[in-house]
Amino acid sequence: MKINRTTQRTIEILDLIASSQDGLTLNEIAKALNMPKTSAFDILETLVQLNMLYIKEQRLKTYAIGVKAYAIGNMYSKTSLLLNSAGPIMKRLSQEIRTTTLLAKENNGSLLYTLKHEPAKKIIATPEVGEVAYLHSTSIGKAILAFSKHQLELIDKLDLYPMTKRTITSKKALTQELLIIKERGYAIGNRENEEYTYAIAAPIFDYHGVVSSAIGVVNLYKEEYQAEEDIKKVVEAAKEISRLLGYRE
């Protein structure tokens, strides 16, 4: 059967961009695939319109994989190194702390949930895989922001929507908190995303030393809650996953 050339080119473009950590420009894509820039541009802009790609860096106009492409590949991604590595550790952490464990990544300035494990008796409703949330109001989002090499660019684009009265809505205040998070190695979400929840998260690094995702736990807020032991468990779980991905401190 004859292969449709445009379809083939589209897949080649998606494959090329998916292999790039920082996204690629039109010139880089056209050169790498030895194709006319006009043809590449038409395909790229169509993929952006369909949310298969998004423009990661406006000044250079670099293209990166979008939410739609991620969702389509979600079934395959369940067998990926990160999710295979994280799954058993998340299950153990969920059983130890007796609460929901979540894995998420940054995507187009938002938080995208990629894996979840719930205890047998869940106490609260939590996001499902594929759902998105704000970076600034969630512990996982703040953990990713604190260690991201694109932190300034991401903060500049953020709309600091007040999810609760405790949500950080000042970029200066957010930057200051991220410095604290980076220093101590974990993030806290104290009723910032929802009125009655308390969350803990820690970053996960890949073998390049880049923050690929973050792991977190979320529970009901309790006045008497002593978080120290749970914080240690979350941080160690993140480090364990990072080591399985090839990261060395």
Side-chain angles (χ1 to χ4, degrees):
M1 186 178 70
K2 184 179 179 181
I3 295 176
N4 181 277
R5 184 64 170 164
T6 302
T7 303
Q8 181 182 4
R9 282 302 201 185
T10 301
I11 293 171
E12 288 173 349
I13 286 173
L14 287 169
D15 188 43
L16 180 65
I17 294 174
S19 66
S20 171
Q21 290 187 9
D22 299 321
L24 295 169
T25 65
L26 170 61
N27 286 340
E28 290 170 332
I29 293 165
K31 183 178 179 180
L33 297 177
N34 192 26
M35 64 185 297
K37 285 199 292 185
T38 52
S39 299
F41 179 78
D42 288 343
I43 294 173
L44 288 165
E45 289 302 301
T46 299
L47 291 172
V48 169
Q49 291 296 317
L50 295 173
N51 293 320
M52 295 290 285
L53 298 177
Y54 75 97
I55 298 173
K56 186 171 186 177
E57 211 285 317
Q58 289 289 342
R59 185 176 61 85
L60 297 175
K61 200 169 185 181
T62 53
Y63 296 89
I65 293 295
V67 174
K68 186 73 172 290
Y70 180 87
I72 291 173
N74 187 49
M75 290 305 294
Y76 173 78
S77 68
K78 288 180 180 179
T79 63
S80 71
L81 177 59
L82 171 59
L83 300 192
N84 277 341
S85 300
I89 296 169
M90 290 176 65
K91 181 178 180 180
R92 186 190 70 213
L93 183 64
S94 179
Q95 291 170 341
E96 289 178 353
I97 300 182
R98 289 180 292 180
T99 190
T100 299
T101 309
L102 295 160
L103 189 76
K105 60 180 287 185
E106 181 272 325
N107 187 281
N108 198 14
S110 296
L111 189 69
L112 176 66
Y113 292 99
T114 56
L115 195 62
K116 173 181 179 177
H117 192 279
E118 291 181 316
K121 295 181 180 179
K122 65 178 182 179
I123 302 173
I124 55 175
T126 52
E128 297 297 331
V129 171
E131 288 188 26
V132 295
Y134 290 110
L135 291 168
H136 72 283
S137 62
T138 57
S139 61
I140 294 182
K142 290 189 293 182
I144 292 172
L145 277 174
F147 291 87
S148 173
K149 65 178 182 178
H150 302 296
Q151 182 187 113
L152 295 179
E153 180 187 333
L154 286 169
I155 291 176
D156 185 58
K157 294 179 180 178
L158 291 181
D159 177 15
L160 304 187
Y161 184 81
M163 294 295 288
T164 75
K165 63 183 179 181
R166 296 176 180 81
T167 307
I168 296 174
T169 56
S170 158
K171 292 188 178 182
K172 181 178 179 180
L174 177 61
T175 301
Q176 291 173 340
E177 176 157 350
L178 295 179
L179 288 173
I180 295 171
I181 292 170
K182 190 169 184 179
E183 176 68 25
R184 69 190 181 192
Y186 63 89
I188 295 295
N190 187 357
R191 295 168 289 171
E192 296 167 49
N193 197 56
E194 295 180 347
E195 288 287 355
Y196 306 106
T197 61
Y198 187 94
I200 305 163
I204 294 169
F205 299 91
D206 64 19
Y207 67 96
H208 293 296
V210 175
V211 175
S212 59
S213 296
I215 185 174
V217 296
V218 58
N219 213 332
L220 283 174
Y221 171 80
K222 296 178 182 177
E223 191 76 36
E224 69 278 9
Y225 176 50
Q226 300 295 317
E228 289 76 12
E229 285 303 312
D230 288 347
I231 288 171
K232 289 179 183 178
K233 290 175 181 177
V234 172
V235 170
E236 183 49 45
K239 289 182 177 179
E240 189 176 348
I241 296 169
S242 297
R243 286 193 292 268
L244 291 173
L245 296 178
Y247 176 66
R248 295 293 180 266
E249 295 183 68

